Amino acid sequence: VPAGGVSLRRCSTRKGLEGLNRPVIDRIIRVDHAGEYGANRIYAGQMAVLGRSSVGPVIQQMWNQEKDHLKKFNELMVAYRVRPTVLLPFWNVAGFVLGAGSALLGKKGAMACTVAVEESISDHYNSQIRTLMEEDPEKYKELLQVIKQFRDDEREHHDIGLEHDAEAAPAYSVLKTAIQLGCKAAIFLSERI
């Protein structure tokens, strides 16, 4: 069973894709794939700096979940025939730099980054859930299941960040705001490009 215990049947024929709102599905899967890719790179950057510290196992646990999320969205890209964003090479570097840079501020800095990113992503997933519910909850039932499960995982990561003193990071509110503005820009661009 794939990530989060959620399975999704593959759409191997054109008939399986009929009746879907292609622009909505393309946008959702493309941006979610990019987001999970970026999250993986953030955690890779954090592990490069803090992997051997006391918080290393916590970061590794969250990263493992993100790896499962990315694997699932890789599968969905194929199943729904969605092309990835052309910005993946940029997110590769930007994600790693954000993760490593926040980790250079110490455990609290890394956790502040986690809180900011995961809050943005769970809010984004909630928006997608509303969109799919308005479209047709039955038609998008399986995709909704995946997104809801991953949203819950992101909320858990957010809470883990708070439990590990994210709010005590230097200039927490400034750091959080800057990271969340970056997330909004990344979401906007990845949905479209």
Side-chain angles (χ1 to χ4, degrees):
V1 174
V6 179
S7 66
L8 187 73
R9 121 187 126 230
R10 294 201 179 261
C11 299
S12 60
T13 65
R14 288 232 178 256
K15 186 172 176 43
L17 300 175
E18 285 177 12
L20 300 180
N21 184 334
R22 290 303 309 187
V24 168
I25 294 301
D26 287 357
R27 189 175 70 240
I28 286 174
I29 293 175
R30 180 177 304 109
V31 73
D32 290 354
H33 175 264
E36 297 299 349
Y37 182 83
N40 268 271
R41 298 305 297 149
I42 290 169
Y43 284 116
Q46 289 181 349
M47 285 299 289
V49 175
L50 296 172
R52 294 183 183 196
S53 72
S54 63
V55 78
V58 174
I59 295 170
Q60 185 66 57
Q61 176 191 2
M62 292 187 289
W63 189 16
N64 289 342
Q65 279 188 310
E66 298 296 349
K67 288 176 184 178
D68 289 341
H69 293 181
L70 180 58
K71 180 180 178 201
K72 185 61 179 177
F73 275 106
N74 281 331
E75 293 169 5
L76 292 173
M77 298 281 285
V78 173
Y80 284 91
R81 300 182 182 144
V82 176
R83 70 160 178 81
T85 177
V86 299
L87 297 171
L88 283 182
F90 180 75
W91 301 148
N92 179 30
V93 174
F96 189 88
V97 168
L98 177 58
S102 66
L104 287 171
L105 298 173
K107 171 188 130 176
K108 294 172 186 173
M111 291 298 149
C113 176
T114 296
V115 167
V117 170
E118 302 295 20
E119 185 176 292
S120 294
I121 299 308
S122 63
D123 288 349
H124 180 67
Y125 277 151
N126 279 333
S127 175
Q128 290 179 337
I129 290 165
R130 282 190 296 276
T131 297
L132 292 174
M133 292 297 289
E134 289 169 7
E135 282 284 325
D136 185 342
E138 195 54 40
K139 189 185 299 181
Y140 300 105
K141 183 179 178 180
E142 292 166 313
L143 185 56
L144 277 164
Q145 245 184 312
V146 170
I147 294 172
K148 286 177 182 178
Q149 176 61 54
F150 291 178
R151 181 226 26 222
D152 293 347
D153 292 345
E154 309 304 357
R155 284 181 175 166
E156 180 184 339
H157 298 171
H158 170 272
D159 295 347
I160 288 169
L162 291 175
E163 291 165 11
H164 286 85
D165 303 321
E167 294 170 309
Y172 172 74
S173 61
V174 173
L175 183 62
K176 181 179 175 190
T177 300
I179 291 170
Q180 289 185 327
L181 285 172
C183 287
K184 286 180 183 177
I187 288 167
F188 179 84
L189 293 170
S190 293
E191 282 179 331
R192 290 158 177 81
I193 301 174

